[in-house]
């Protein structure tokens, strides 16, 4: 049985003052196995964030349902960790307290929280910054903290919505390697939304391509590149072939949109 | 000068003090130069003399203490009720829908216009003074606190929920700390307004306080005393402002980053 099943999930945003209701997502089905790393690739506005937010329970689906371990999702919860495109660290908490936010919510004792925060700070390369406030950190460091914060909570599934979208290319590449490294070690189930083709292939075990708005799934491609994946894999023949294929899929969408 | 370019602490202090110096200089020129008759405006020296006289012979320190107690007492009373109500209104929209229209209406009722009514209800004792301050600050506080609490970034709320926060801890662990520096700033501002209400309350039917001294001095045409009273209010305001700012910086270091 799959870890997460998205069954015919669609989203229609209700009309506002005479405007037409917005169809953000046509009913979509997707089954995600345990330990899968899925990347969702699609043009801007196709409903990627909407789909992720429905899975997180932050948005209710207009039709269909989401099952996690067979149980329907009814609202947000600690079993689905999420990292947002915008910086969402709590500015009044130190890095350490941000990472331990979920543990504290669960009533974990002080020592355990400190321990977990230290460990995760180290894993995402933020050793020595535990006592800093988010505003004292760069964007990349803040997103790393956000990933640590979600993972310290030990969710069943990790949802990432273009977490590296605002970062420069070098930082982005480092972050991809870091996240992939964590996944290779922890084997979490991950859904990662992006519109960067290289990023999608580099980390994924499966790339799902969506069509332009209103989005639906257009292609679902397994990525059989070996693990561990060094950064240099991006220039390998297999990688390049896959990239060309995906770029073609996306281009068709964007061109279709322009006509 | 470049827009928004900060100045060093010493330059800042220097600029701040220079305006006071300029102010006193213009005042001195106007009074010592004989441009304004002493009946209308006392000179700085006369003002200082009258001030010493007030403090030494007329127990003005007691009046100052009484006024401070009225402001602080009435304000704490207002804040103690406004804070929980404002937070609830900011967090829960039905509660806001219930109270907000009335509070918005009550906010425009001038506190000083209530004074005759309050004298009728509560006499001319301390209760009436506290009530004036209360009415003057309570509704303002409630509304501004509700806005501060409700103005949280939606993505922070979403993040808290995906980390397993309950509705209750969303209020206590996200909405409250998020709004805390702004609430402190609101308290500082409204406390300043409370000072204007207390003086008005003391101008009418009062036998102590800075405002009472000012009415007495007016009967005697003693502008030196009046100006001294006004300046004392200004200085107390300056001190309380400074204390508030210092406390805020200590309590919410993250807000200044
Ligand atoms: N709260 C909302 N109310 C109305 N329409 C919305 C709302 N949220 C999203 N939409 C619409 O739904 C569509 C899909 O939005 P969504 O944010 O899911 O796109 P996306 O694929 O994440 O795009 P991007 O890559 O730019 O982030 C958009 O056309 C958007 O206008
Ligand atoms: Mg999006």
């Amino acid at each position: 049985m799959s870890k997460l099943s998205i069954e015919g999930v669609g989203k229609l945003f209700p009309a506002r003052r005479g405007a037409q209701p917005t169809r953000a997502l046509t009913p979509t089905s997707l089954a995600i196995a345990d330990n899968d790393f899925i990347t969702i690739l699609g043009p801007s506005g196709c409903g990627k964030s909407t789909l992720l937010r429905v899975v997180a329970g932050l948005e209710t689906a207009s039709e269909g349902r989401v099952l996690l371990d067979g149980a329907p999702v009814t609202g947000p919860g600690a079993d689905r960790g999420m990292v947002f495109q915008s910086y969402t660290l709590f500015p009044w908490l130190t890095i350490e307290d941000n990472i331990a936010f979920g543990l504290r919510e669960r009533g974990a004792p002080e020592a355990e929280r400190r321990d977990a925060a230290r460990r995760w700070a180290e894993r995402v390369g933020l050793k020595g910054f535990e006592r800093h406030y988010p505003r004292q950190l760069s964007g990349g460091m803040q997103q790393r903290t956000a990933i640590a914060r979600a993972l310290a909570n030990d969710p069943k599934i990790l949802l990432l919505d273009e977490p590296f979208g605002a970062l420069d290319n070098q930082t982005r590449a480092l972050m991809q390697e870091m996240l992939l490294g964590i996944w290779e070690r922890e084997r979490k189930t991950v859904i990662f939304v992006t519109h960067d083709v290289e990023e999608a292939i580099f980390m994924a075990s499966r790339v799902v391509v969506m069509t332009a708005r209103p989005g639906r799934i257009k292609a679902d491609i397994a990525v059989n590149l070996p693990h561990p994946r060094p950064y240099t894999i991006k220039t390998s023949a297999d990688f390049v072939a896959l990239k060309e294929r995906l770029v073609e899929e996306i281009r068709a969408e964007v061109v279709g949109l322009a006509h | 000068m470049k827009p928004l370019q900060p100045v060093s602490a010493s330059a800042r202090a220097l600029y701040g003090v220079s305006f006071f110096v300029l102010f006193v200089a213009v005042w001195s020129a106007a009074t010592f130069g004989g441009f304004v008759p002493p009946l209308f405006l006392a000179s700085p020296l006369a003002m200082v003399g009258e001030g010493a006289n007030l403090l030494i012979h007329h127990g003005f320190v007691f009046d100052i203490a009484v006024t401070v107690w009225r402001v602080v007492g009435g304000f704490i009373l207002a804040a103690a009720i406004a804070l929980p109500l404002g937070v609830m209104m900011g967090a829960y929209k039905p509660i806001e829908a219930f109270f907000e229209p009335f509070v918005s209406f009550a906010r425009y009722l001038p506190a000083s216009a209530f004074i005759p009514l309050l004298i009728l209800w509560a006499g001319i004792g301390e209760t009436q003074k506290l009530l004036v301050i209360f009415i003057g600050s309570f509704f303002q506080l409630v509304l501004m606190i509700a806005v501060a609490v409700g103005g949280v970034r939606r993505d922070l709320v979403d993040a808290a929920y995906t980390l397993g926060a309950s509705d209750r801890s969303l209020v206590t662990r996200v909405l409250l700390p998020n709004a805390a520096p702004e609430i402190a700033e609101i308290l500082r501002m409204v406390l300043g307004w409370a000072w204007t209400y207390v003086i008005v309350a003391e101008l009418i039917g009062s036998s102590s306080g800075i405002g009472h001294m000012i009415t007495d001095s007016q009967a005697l045409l003693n502008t030196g005393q009046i100006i001294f009273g006004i300046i004392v209010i200004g200085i107390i305001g300056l001190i309380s402002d400074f204390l508030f700012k210092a406390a805020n910086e200590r309590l919410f270091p993250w807000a200044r980053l």
Side-chain angles (χ1 to χ4, degrees):
Chain A
M1 194 184 69
S2 50
K3 184 81 178 167
L4 185 87
S5 34
I6 297 169
E7 300 179 349
V9 168
K11 180 74 187 177
L12 190 69
F13 284 104
R16 275 246 172 92
R17 287 227 204 116
Q20 293 292 314
T22 314
R23 169 55 78 180
L25 189 67
T26 41
T28 299
S29 296
L30 190 63
I32 294 161
D34 207 11
N35 304 336
D36 242 2
F37 196 129
I38 305 266
T39 52
I40 299 181
L41 198 54
S44 190
C46 73
K48 305 182 296 292
S49 296
T50 305
L51 178 62
L52 219 54
R53 288 175 62 82
V54 169
V55 173
L58 295 170
E59 210 87 69
T60 51
S62 310
E63 57 259 298
R65 58 178 192 165
V66 177
L67 300 177
L68 179 63
D69 282 335
V73 162
T74 53
D79 52 357
R80 283 147 292 137
M82 179 136 172
V83 179
F84 298 81
Q85 179 166 13
S86 56
Y87 301 135
T88 58
L89 296 183
F90 304 114
W92 57 90
L93 295 179
T94 58
I95 296 314
E96 190 173 81
D97 290 340
N98 260 290
I99 296 177
F101 186 93
L103 290 168
R104 171 136 185 222
E105 194 57 41
R106 253 189 272 153
E110 164 92 36
E112 187 192 326
R113 297 200 310 257
R114 190 162 305 275
D115 211 47
R118 288 266 150 82
R119 201 170 56 243
W120 276 106
E122 191 170 349
R123 263 183 227 180
V124 296
L126 284 173
K127 198 174 163 57
F129 290 95
E130 290 93 342
R131 293 295 169 86
H132 283 59
Y133 285 102
R135 284 187 194 143
Q136 296 171 303
L137 266 53
S138 71
M141 291 160 99
Q142 291 194 44
Q143 286 307 63
R144 273 185 271 167
T145 310
I147 292 172
R149 180 176 69 175
L151 285 171
N153 225 6
D154 195 24
K156 290 180 178 168
I157 183 163
L158 183 63
L159 311 168
L160 302 108
D161 189 2
E162 298 188 45
F164 312 145
L167 305 177
D168 64 82
N169 274 329
Q170 277 77 17
T171 314
R172 209 179 161 114
L174 287 173
M175 303 279 283
Q176 292 165 4
E177 282 186 294
M178 181 208 77
L179 183 62
L180 192 61
I182 290 175
W183 180 79
E184 281 163 353
R185 220 170 352 165
E186 309 262 330
R187 290 283 158 171
K188 285 267 168 223
T189 309
V190 178
I191 307 182
F192 188 109
V193 163
T194 179
H195 48 225
D196 182 308
V197 178
E198 262 189 24
E199 181 169 88
I201 303 168
F202 180 62
M203 291 186 291
S205 47
R206 239 171 98 196
V207 181
V208 172
V209 183
M210 287 177 73
T211 64
R213 191 172 75 88
R216 74 191 153 66
I217 293 174
K218 176 181 185 190
D220 188 338
I221 298 160
V223 179
N224 292 316
L225 301 170
H227 283 280
R229 290 180 193 167
Y231 194 64
T232 47
I233 205 168
K234 289 193 182 182
T235 50
S236 75
D238 285 348
F239 192 99
V240 172
L242 208 51
K243 185 176 164 186
E244 267 166 16
R245 181 169 161 208
L246 282 169
V247 166
E248 203 43 53
E249 297 270 10
I250 305 248
R251 224 182 77 82
E253 276 315 308
V254 180
V255 169
L257 207 60
H259 284 234
Chain B
M1 264 194 289
K2 281 179 84 73
L4 302 180
Q5 184 103 327
V7 293
S8 73
S10 54
R12 197 189 174 84
L14 187 69
Y15 287 144
V17 169
S18 358
F19 189 80
F20 277 100
V21 171
L22 183 69
F23 178 79
V24 173
V26 171
W27 178 13
S28 301
T31 48
F32 291 132
F35 298 106
V36 184
L39 180 65
F40 294 124
L41 183 64
S43 69
L45 271 183
M47 185 275 294
V48 171
E50 291 295 347
N53 181 31
L54 272 177
L55 290 171
I56 295 162
H57 301 295
H58 294 96
F60 188 49
V61 174
F62 172 74
D63 286 293
I64 295 176
V66 166
T67 301
V68 169
W69 131 254
R70 285 170 183 158
V71 176
V72 173
F75 182 75
I76 288 181
L77 211 63
I81 307 177
L83 197 62
L85 182 61
V87 170
M88 294 306 278
M89 280 171 62
Y92 297 99
K93 296 304 151 190
I95 298 180
E96 181 171 42
F98 183 64
F99 287 112
E100 203 260 356
F102 181 80
V103 173
S104 294
F105 153 77
R107 173 167 92 109
Y108 284 103
L109 307 178
S112 35
F114 273 90
I115 293 173
L117 207 56
L118 289 174
I119 292 178
L120 205 62
W121 292 343
I124 55 168
E126 292 308 301
T127 319
Q128 176 250 334
K129 309 285 184 299
L130 293 182
L131 281 175
V132 174
I133 305 294
F134 182 87
I135 291 178
S137 31
F138 176 74
F139 299 106
Q140 305 282 358
L141 281 175
V142 169
L143 222 55
M144 288 163 79
I145 290 172
V147 170
V149 170
V152 67
R153 277 170 51 200
R154 285 299 311 191
D155 53 358
L156 291 187
V157 174
D158 288 344
Y161 275 133
T162 60
L163 289 165
S166 63
D167 292 335
R168 193 196 152 91
S169 59
L170 184 81
V171 177
T172 57
R173 294 190 64 204
V174 179
L175 300 189
L176 259 182
N178 178 67
E182 204 180 330
I183 291 177
E185 199 55 28
I186 290 167
L187 290 174
R188 182 175 78 87
M189 233 165 62
V190 177
L191 180 62
W193 301 346
W195 271 94
T196 61
Y197 304 132
V198 79
I199 301 303
V200 178
E202 287 176 348
L203 290 177
I204 308 165
S206 180
S207 55
S208 59
I210 301 175
H212 168 250
M213 184 281 286
I214 290 176
T215 348
D216 270 7
S217 308
Q218 189 208 9
L220 302 170
L221 297 177
N222 191 333
T223 53
Q225 288 188 355
I226 296 178
I227 293 170
F228 182 72
I230 293 172
I231 287 179
V232 165
I233 296 168
I235 290 172
I236 296 174
L238 207 62
I239 294 172
S240 88
D241 229 46
F242 176 80
L243 292 178
F244 245 102
K245 272 189 188 155
N248 287 1
E249 267 171 50
R250 280 195 71 110
L251 285 172
F252 313 115
W254 58 270
R256 313 222 142 247
L257 295 173

